[in-house]
């Protein structure tokens, strides 16, 4: 049962970050215009680098979706995801209050859900491993 939850978590986070990665990598001008930022060469470069980071995380999560997580299992991946989602959650919530944007509220809600879910997996007991000999 536990592996199903972590498989769903890793798959959902991979899809979420993959969509963000493709959007920010290949549609950086449009993304900046959508959020109301100034489209400048430096800003476009930063957004495209951010997209590459999202795609890297998405591929990592996608390829590890079938492996055990929790406790000591895949702890670095769980910790990295927890830190990413928690830190971005705080940043987006601050921005959502300042900018009063529905889009930022929606994305920050997704980030809070992923941060809590990864935190739960990271700090919970490891999954039970059953052997075929039992």
């Amino acid at each position: 049962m536990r592996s199903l939850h972590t498989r769903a978590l890793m798959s959902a986070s991979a899809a979420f970050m993959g969509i963000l990665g493709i959007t920010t990598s290949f549609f950086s001008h449009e993304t900046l215009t959508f959020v109301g930022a100034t489209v400048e060469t430096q800003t476009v470069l930063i957004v495209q680098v951010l997209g590459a980071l999202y795609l890297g995380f998405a591929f990592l999560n996608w390829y590890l979706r079938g492996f055990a997580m929790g406790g000591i299992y895949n702890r670095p991946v769980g910790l990295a995801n927890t830190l990413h989602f928690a830190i971005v959650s705080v940043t987006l919530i601050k921005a959502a209050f300042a900018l009063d944007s529905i889009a930022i509220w929606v994305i920050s809600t997704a980030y809070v859900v992923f941060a809590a879910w990864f935190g739960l997996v990271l700090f919970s007991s490891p999954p039970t491993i059953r052997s075929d000999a039992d």
Side-chain angles (χ1 to χ4, degrees):
M1 180 74 142
R2 180 173 217 0
S3 63
L4 176 65
H5 294 300
T6 57
R7 184 177 182 90
L9 169 62
M10 296 300 278
S11 297
S13 65
F16 179 72
M17 287 194 273
I19 290 167
L20 289 176
I22 289 169
T23 303
T24 54
S25 289
F26 300 110
F27 303 105
S28 51
H29 287 85
E30 293 82 357
T31 302
L32 287 167
T33 302
F34 177 74
V35 298
T38 307
V39 179
E40 297 176 0
T41 304
Q42 299 89 345
T43 315
V44 170
L45 177 65
I46 291 169
V47 169
Q48 289 174 340
V49 169
L50 176 69
L53 291 168
Y54 274 119
L55 285 173
F57 243 128
F59 277 101
L60 177 69
N61 287 354
W62 183 257
Y63 286 116
L64 291 176
R65 72 188 186 280
F67 291 88
M69 284 197 65
I72 61 169
Y73 300 105
N74 284 314
R75 191 161 187 84
V77 174
L79 182 59
N81 276 288
T82 302
L83 286 173
H84 166 75
F85 282 109
I87 292 168
V88 175
S89 291
V90 171
T91 304
L92 285 176
I93 289 170
K94 286 172 51 178
F97 277 117
L99 301 173
D100 196 30
S101 167
I102 299 285
I104 294 176
W105 277 113
V106 170
I107 293 172
S108 51
T109 301
Y111 264 92
V112 167
V113 168
F114 280 120
W117 199 355
F118 271 110
L120 181 65
V121 168
L122 180 67
F123 295 110
S124 65
S125 299
T128 56
I129 299 176
R130 296 177 12 194
S131 69
D132 292 334
D134 291 337

